[in-house]
Amino acid sequence: MSEVCGGAARTLRTPGRHGYAAEFSPYLPGRLACCGTLLILDPDEAGLRLFRSFDWNDGLFDVTWSENNEHVLITCSGDGSLQLWDTAKTAGPLQVYKEHTQEVYSVDWSQTRGEQLVVSGSWDQTVKLWDPTVGKSLCTFRGHESIIYSTIWSPHIPGCFASASGDQTLRIWDVKAAGVRIVIPAHQAEILSCDWCKYNENLLVTGAVDCSLRGWDLRNVRQPVFELLGHTYAIRRVKFSPFHASVLASCSYDFTVRFWNFSKPDSLLETVEHHTEFTCGLDFSLQSPTQVADCSWDETIKIYDPACLTIPA
């Protein structure tokens, strides 16, 4: 069921399906992928329309769109596998990659032109590197001492990605060196999410169980360059804006989504309280400077334009 609330949020209800992740298509304006169950959504006059749904025999924890084919995406699941899907087909998946020995919690497709690489992070404490055209992983990265919750490619540096873990560290890896470049003891708590700034190749943000967001400059990692406080439970996901150099968003087990400008003394721009359960999925549109999507365990997916993004940040 779809509705537009107050002319603002487009909402799709997904009875019996918890939302873990949401990601806008890099190609088609407004198209959104969500999981638990893989749902492909398009906006319409009434709100949100279900374009396609795909079932898997376990919960899907993360989703990433292909950077070279508008129909292709990859999900990862609780059974330790990754699934390659084609939204132009009603059946699937096209391929299943099963090498992790525990839940795969994070998957990300490289944005660097000229190479098609995917990273996955698992509860088995490893990160694996994949070429989707190859049936097995290219490399396994070891070093984390606990669950890996987040693996994100640098949008600037080819072959470089970050990972965040329950071992309280943020790590920066180099595919060419097949090893870790930098280990940052970023929090004194499990780190559930990290992201790269789209405007500064040296800047990342982490979100943790200690309810804080911290910014890290890779040129000097002894202390964070900013800390953002306000969430009251663990931060589940954090994303930098693709349109505003100092704006980011975070969602939390406190049911809220918060928008921040870390360059301002009063960093908190807006708190959105439109969910009634853990808010786990979050993404900025790549086509619209004001559009955001999120999803929650309250079985709703929302696309909306927060007030703070409709005025200059």
Side-chain angles (χ1 to χ4, degrees):
M1 177 184 156
S2 184
E3 61 183 271
V4 181
C5 302
R10 300 171 181 268
T11 301
L12 185 76
R13 301 191 181 282
T14 58
R17 295 170 173 176
H18 289 168
Y20 283 100
E23 187 164 302
F24 279 105
S25 165
Y27 292 98
L28 301 174
R31 175 158 289 186
L32 186 71
C34 288
C35 56
T37 297
L38 179 56
L39 306 174
I40 312 300
L41 311 175
D42 287 322
D44 64 13
E45 297 76 18
L48 285 175
R49 172 177 64 86
L50 181 64
F51 171 74
R52 196 86 80 210
S53 68
F54 298 98
D55 287 316
W56 187 244
N57 55 16
D58 210 315
L60 301 175
F61 292 136
D62 202 9
V63 60
T64 184
W65 287 94
S66 165
E67 291 290 332
N68 68 347
N69 185 325
E70 68 184 42
H71 302 296
V72 172
L73 38 71
I74 289 180
T75 52
C76 61
S77 75
D79 63 6
S81 70
L82 285 69
Q83 305 82 26
L84 180 76
W85 308 89
D86 185 337
T87 62
K89 298 177 167 59
T90 55
L94 299 180
Q95 197 161 352
V96 177
Y97 313 92
K98 177 108 173 57
E99 291 187 29
H100 285 293
T101 57
Q102 295 184 49
E103 289 94 328
V104 188
Y105 223 58
S106 178
V107 64
D108 194 38
W109 201 300
S110 168
Q111 297 172 37
T112 308
R113 302 300 177 205
E115 61 184 16
Q116 291 301 315
L117 297 174
V118 171
V119 283
S120 58
S122 170
W123 289 26
D124 67 13
Q125 304 181 19
T126 71
V127 177
K128 287 184 180 288
L129 177 71
W130 311 83
D131 178 335
T133 63
V134 178
K136 62 182 190 298
S137 64
L138 306 179
C139 185
T140 300
F141 297 87
R142 293 182 170 86
H144 277 298
E145 297 171 8
S146 184
I147 290 167
I148 297 167
Y149 289 107
S150 184
T151 48
I152 305 289
W153 287 104
S154 166
H156 311 281
I157 307 164
C160 177
F161 67 90
S163 60
S165 167
D167 67 11
Q168 308 180 3
T169 67
L170 171 70
R171 296 178 187 232
I172 311 300
W173 307 79
D174 182 354
V175 166
K176 297 172 190 67
V180 68
R181 280 178 45 211
I182 304 172
V183 179
I184 304 168
H187 296 259
Q188 291 183 305
E190 288 195 298
I191 307 169
L192 302 187
S193 186
C194 63
D195 197 25
W196 294 82
C197 180
K198 310 301 186 287
Y199 291 86
N200 181 342
E201 69 177 29
N202 292 299
L203 184 63
L204 293 95
V205 65
T206 50
V209 170
D210 64 9
C211 309
S212 75
L213 295 155
R214 291 179 177 175
W216 301 96
D217 187 321
L218 297 182
R219 294 165 294 190
N220 181 358
V221 298
R222 283 176 295 181
Q223 58 187 26
V225 290
F226 63 80
E227 184 173 48
L228 306 174
L229 302 174
H231 281 294
T232 55
Y233 282 91
I235 294 164
R236 178 63 185 86
R237 204 173 294 264
V238 58
K239 291 281 181 81
F240 275 106
S241 167
F243 290 99
H244 307 279
S246 57
V247 171
L248 55 89
S250 55
C251 66
S252 166
Y253 292 151
D254 66 11
F255 309 171
T256 71
V257 180
R258 293 173 194 243
F259 294 87
W260 315 81
N261 186 330
F262 62 81
S263 68
K264 292 188 171 185
D266 296 323
S267 299
L268 182 61
L269 300 175
E270 186 174 351
T271 301
V272 175
E273 300 178 289
H274 60 193
H275 287 293
T276 57
E277 256 297 349
F278 295 160
T279 308
C280 296
L282 175 67
D283 200 23
F284 286 96
S285 168
L286 298 171
Q287 277 97 7
S288 165
T290 63
Q291 195 171 71
V292 176
D294 61 40
C295 63
S296 166
W297 279 26
D298 65 10
E299 303 172 358
T300 65
I301 301 161
K302 295 178 183 283
I303 295 180
Y304 56 102
D305 298 85
C308 65
L309 298 185
T310 60
I311 53 175

